[in-house]
Amino acid sequence: MNKNKLNVWHIFSLLLLVFDLLFIVYPLFNVLKNSIIIDHQFSLAHFVRFFGDSYYLDTLINSLKVAFVVTLTSLFFGILLAYANTIYELKGSLFLQIVTILCSMSAPFVGAYSWILLLGRGGAITTFLKDVLNVAAPSIYGFGGIVLVMTTKLFPLVYLYVSGALKGIDQSLMEAAENLQCTGFKRFTKVVLPLCMPSILAVALMVFLRAMADFGTPVLIGEGYRTFSVEIYKQYIGEGGMDHGFAAAISIIAIMITAVIFFTQKAVSKRFSFKMDSMHPIQKQKAEGLFGVLLHVYSYLVVAISFMPQLYIIYTSFRNVSKSGNTFVAGYSLNNYKAFLARMGQAVPTTLLIGVVTLALTLVIAVLTAYLIVRRNNKINSALDTLSMIPYIVPGSVVGISMVMGFSTGPLVLTGTMAIMIIAIAIRRMPYTIRSSVATLQQIPLTVEEAAESLGCSKFKTFIKITVPMMMRGIISGAIVSWITILTELSSSIILYSSKTTTLTLSTYIFVSRGTLGPAAASASILTLFTTVSLLLFFKLTKSSDLAL
Amino acid sequence: MEVNIRINHALKKYGDNVVIPDLSLDIKPGEFFTLLGPSGCGKTTLLRMIAGFNSIEGGDFYFNDTRINDMEPSKRNIGMVFQNYAIFPHMSVRKNVEFGLVNKKKPKDQIKTISEKYMKLMHIDEYADRMPSQLSGGQQQRVALARALAIEPDVLLMDEPLSNLDAKLRVEMRQVIKEVQQEVGITTVYVTHDQEEAMAVSDRIAVFKSGVIQQIGTPHQLYQRPQNTFVAFFIGRSNLLDGKLVHEGGKTFVVFNNGFRQEMTNIVDCEDQEVKISVRPEEFVMSDDGTGISGVVEQTTFLGISTNYFIRTDHGERVEVNEESQVGKSLQKGDRVCLKVKAHKINVFNKEGSASLVVKEV
């Protein structure tokens, strides 16, 4: 074969490389430039200001604190639920699984908002406690509230990862442990947990990075507790003085910190990598006696607390609100929905349009990149592999800022367009979809493609007729997660949106931040309806209840 | 059209690691040719070079007079059967078999008749509309073969096609493969590490070691006249004994370690020298007259049709002897025996074991 011949794959490699360089590297380079160039001169003044002022430094420490604690609590609740629902026969096991997944799929701040309605000043539970029992409810604002809300949203990720790992453990390993007199809790810590360690480490990183970069939750519920992602936004939007250079500097610091965490995790997980062939998955045990009751109580309680906010939002969406729009009054109606549709009705088609286009773009990029990485490895494609992982460690708000800094002036102006939002969200999603496509592709034996070639199929035709259909299952289960994350994207689009590109998530956020309760609840409910219906449809069509994150 | 495959000075490298240094082959039209060798010997690599899935670092590959080095795999018109079958899991049996014909843009009615013909030939026509996941391993293998043959390829390449099947099915399928190959009359290159399988199906076999062909020959030639000790050991079982080759009074003898002399009539013209004598278990004879290689029975295994003995010679060598079972008791552990050899069957090699000193009959 003539290796120097330019074929269709070389063209795809180059196109993807241009895409990555243009929309990932170039914008970030602009952020870096903005952070160290002041009035055309090199200066570290922004960094000196950040580290010299505890006001700013605190935001970073706060974010790290939140991320650390949320990771621990999510691991605790997630692992325990996964263990309960995978090793033991729980009643309504499938129901628990689906509701857990639904918890993780809500828009990031809907939970926060709902908790405020329940436990905030004038919240339903707060009022109830004060009026009826005459006790003060614990404050939902600040550190505790952030941790609570993020945990209820992020523990399902841990649950999904760890239950996947548990299903990969061979029954004979459990029996061998028992045979060697290692049972019960000891078996859990000595055998089960270590076997899940690769998955636990992987999901711990994911939870940490998401908790650290989350914007919606702290901005609503944090009040005096300031985190860096909110600070970047404030500096950028200009609450208390617009300072793009300073926002860029905070972004660079944030990326460096997440990069350190990312590489530390990689180094640690190398020590825990092993292969396991599971021929006989674990058989569920009966949960009997008091232990069984405790398992059920725990599982249902965790899931109920996490899911309650979504239900409560839907409930309030039917309640009547006062003329001013900031208190609920007696009676139920569809008025909130009417108000929402009148003011922001355009958000529904906009969301669907942005969602579909972004999903298509993400999938095409992911499948092509994965194919090039796995099947046509060369220097350019290895570079694609590395480049496409960059967004994994870049917080969403930084992606947003980088896009503005890259494309508001110069040869390519995209700010305010739908394209810039689509590209930003697609880039945010790329690391996940590419990783899952790579994993899918690695499981497909190369010989199947070779068979097609030997039967007279050209390389590109083989890709379309054989490779893509065989990857389809993996692609679809990755696509559903992408679809929902795209619908609920806030941290980058809050910086990039214009009146024409207001999605449901953004409209909900806008109503919430204006304090207009009714349309906010209606908007959030429609969003919840979208994500729930998408998921249930997916489960129905694929006849499975597993997701590939 | 029957196609001959010629390979001249093939070279295969992965980086600086030379897998096949310099290999030439001439496979006759319609021949069932097998590449046999231990794992990692380069046999699959060579097959994949013929198929076009491995790059060729040097040398020329020809199908008849067409040089195929730079031809895309999809243009070589080869039928290939893979170790893991490589059936397209998202297509029915019929779609799998039709796949190559559709790519060739044959007319619809032809696609139907040709695929029907090969599904019938492989006895899978009754499963035509099933999905591959509903088929057993043996049935999937039949689909793979039908699919490869349906494009009426110039050559058929098979890469360890039976190694994923159980023992009984393996024997059954190799018979099927051989019969189908003879019926279709297509030039076939077959890769396996199983010498028994190779012997059963092949017209000729090339025995590989470290990317170098040790011997090319018919199953008969390889078994009866191996060209070096590697082949003698790889094909069938052999005992290797030290000895000397001496010429005396116009006669040639091999002298075993204990001094037992066996006259030989088929030794090539050569000097007296130290030699390796390769004796297969069935080439020993228990001697009655007390002469020969003496030893003690260490183990007896009664196999029904024959009886296998391990015998420790007085010189300390352990040899395996196979004898037709006798009525009554076999020899027992500790019994003393004397062994002679069937002179026309044994093989004599130089001291290094790299060359045979026996005249090639054919």
Side-chain angles (χ1 to χ4, degrees), chain A residues 67 185 257:
Chain A
F185 188 66
I257 288 171

Side-chain angles (χ1 to χ4, degrees), chain A residues 18 187 236 279 283 425 468 499 504 506:
Chain A
V18 168
R187 184 174 71 179
Y236 187 78
M279 290 161 68
Q283 287 162 2
I425 305 174
V468 172
S499 59
L504 272 170
L506 286 164

